[in-house]
Amino acid sequence: MASSPPIKKVCLIGANGTVGSVITRELVQAGCFDVSILRRSNSSSASPAGVTEIPVSPALELQELTRALSGQDAVVAAFPLKDVSEHLRLVEAAFNAGVRRYIPADYGSCDAASPQAQHHLRLYRDKTAVRTRCEELSQMAAEDQTGASPFTWTSIICGHFFDYGLRSGLLHFNLDAERAQILDAGDIKASASTLRRVGESVVRVLQRHEDTRNRAVYVQSFCPTQLEILASLERATGNKWHTQHLDSNAFLERESKRLEAGDGEATEEIVFVLGTVDADWTRKDGFAMELLGLQDENLDQVVREVVAAHKTRASS
């Protein structure tokens, strides 16, 4: 079978978010894509440089989305999965518009296919619903003898957003107080990715679209234990940190009860635990670092960069 032409025209949804802004930057800097972004008419965010705006109504209706995505080779979703219906409509629109590759908003911190993740959070059940629809549509496209739809998909699962999680405290390393909360013995390895690595992975998937079609790919910047992260932080700060060990099962049970009681902030705590105890991608069949031509980053270097930037902000 002849190989398909390179992916050139890429449209991103969520270009101003934490992850989307970095993906947009990496797509533009790659220099081989014509990058556009869907921009809701009620958005007040400034558009990144080097992209073309495609205006759409806030409702993200199917017919309008289909028209907006017409002519695009690839669509990248990078906005929060708060309303699963929006993401499902976007998949349908990409299929209807003849888009060749769809990348759903899977990313971090857990594998949505994990039974544990699905059990604890609707977020991962919703992500699985989107991935399932991608699978269904790609199968329909493959079985269509007319070749009317070239639709394929790739999910990118990257573990915790490491630099963002370290800066924000979501990983339970407090840079101000130099205190760490360690789950269990702290010796469980977990894949994690810098935001830059997520953006790089999107670029590599689109550049290697034949090899990454209709599958999930697992990527990382490194796969450390919490104790290894702690040791790196102590080297970067030159100080001994205070630590508190927590039982992960008790933590999950407590936060699950908070969530059931309507406390939405418990979601981030549950994600923290699951992304720490159930995220070693090196054991996955879909571990794709070699396939994508990526190598691990240096943990100490990334930690030093985060600590240095934090000190600069704190002193300004």
Side-chain angles (χ1 to χ4, degrees), residues 36 103 158 264 301:
S36 59
I103 298 179
C158 62
Q301 181 178 337

Side-chain angles (χ1 to χ4, degrees), residues 223-237:
C223 189
T225 67
Q226 281 187 293
L227 290 181
E228 288 170 341
I229 298 171
L230 174 64
S232 183
L233 282 164
E234 290 181 337
R235 287 190 291 271
T237 59

Side-chain angles (χ1 to χ4, degrees), residues 11-291:
C11 183
L12 189 131
I13 301 90
N16 291 298
T18 300
V19 183
S21 59
V22 179
I23 293 175
T24 304
R25 183 190 71 205
E26 293 294 327
L27 286 169
V28 171
Q29 289 182 353
C32 56
F33 304 112
D34 294 331
V35 183
S36 59
I37 62 171
L38 284 192
R39 180 180 175 85
R40 301 192 205 214
S41 57
N42 63 344
S43 173
S44 59
S45 301
S47 294
V51 304
T52 301
E53 287 188 6
I54 302 176
V56 292
S57 65
L60 297 182
E61 295 177 350
L62 180 60
Q63 288 186 336
E64 183 183 20
L65 284 173
T66 300
R67 289 193 299 270
L69 298 179
S70 178
Q72 297 293 329
D73 295 322
V75 171
V76 180
F79 64 106
L81 209 145
K82 294 178 180 178
D83 181 352
V84 68
S85 67
E86 290 184 343
H87 289 258
L88 289 171
R89 284 199 301 276
L90 192 60
V91 176
E92 298 283 346
F95 175 82
N96 294 341
V99 169
R100 292 162 52 199
R101 179 60 48 89
Y102 185 84
I103 298 179
D106 260 352
Y107 311 118
S109 295
C110 308
D111 179 8
S114 163
Q116 187 178 25
Q118 291 186 19
H119 170 73
H120 284 285
L121 287 176
R122 177 180 174 179
L123 169 65
Y124 295 109
R125 297 192 292 273
D126 285 348
K127 285 189 175 186
T128 299
V130 174
R131 195 188 299 185
T132 298
R133 190 56 182 149
C134 287
E135 292 171 341
E136 293 169 350
L137 292 174
S138 65
Q139 186 63 32
M140 288 173 58
E143 294 173 352
D144 184 358
Q145 299 299 318
T146 69
S149 176
F151 182 89
T152 59
W153 63 276
T154 308
S155 281
I156 300 172
I157 300 99
C158 62
H160 280 316
F161 300 139
F162 183 80
D163 46 347
Y164 173 77
L166 204 56
R167 289 194 305 266
S168 64
L170 292 174
L171 298 186
H172 286 235
F173 293 99
N174 187 317
L175 294 174
D176 289 321
E178 296 187 346
R179 292 179 176 272
Q181 290 184 317
I182 305 297
L183 296 177
D184 304 321
D187 57 354
I188 301 173
K189 286 188 172 294
S191 298
S193 296
T194 61
L195 293 175
R196 180 176 59 242
R197 174 49 45 91
V198 180
E200 289 173 340
S201 299
V202 171
V203 169
R204 298 297 179 92
V205 162
L206 296 178
Q207 290 174 332
R208 294 161 169 77
H209 61 98
E210 295 280 9
D211 295 328
T212 58
R213 61 188 292 130
N214 300 333
R215 57 174 293 182
V217 295
Y218 297 82
V219 300
Q220 64 181 33
S221 288
F222 23 64
C223 189
T225 67
Q226 281 187 293
L227 290 181
E228 288 170 341
I229 298 171
L230 174 64
S232 183
L233 282 164
E234 290 181 337
R235 287 190 291 271
T237 59
N239 296 322
K240 182 73 175 176
W241 281 42
H242 300 280
T243 59
Q244 176 189 11
H245 284 259
L246 306 173
D247 181 275
S248 61
N249 290 324
F251 191 105
L252 265 179
E253 183 178 355
R254 184 184 75 234
E255 296 304 318
S256 295
K257 288 180 179 178
R258 279 181 61 202
L259 187 61
E260 290 172 5
D263 188 344
E265 292 184 2
T267 296
E268 290 183 346
E269 300 287 35
I270 294 171
V271 169
F272 155 65
V273 177
L274 296 178
T276 302
V277 303
D278 185 26
D280 183 351
W281 303 156
T282 65
R283 300 172 180 270
K284 293 279 191 179
D285 289 339
F287 189 56
M289 295 291 285
E290 183 175 350
L291 175 69

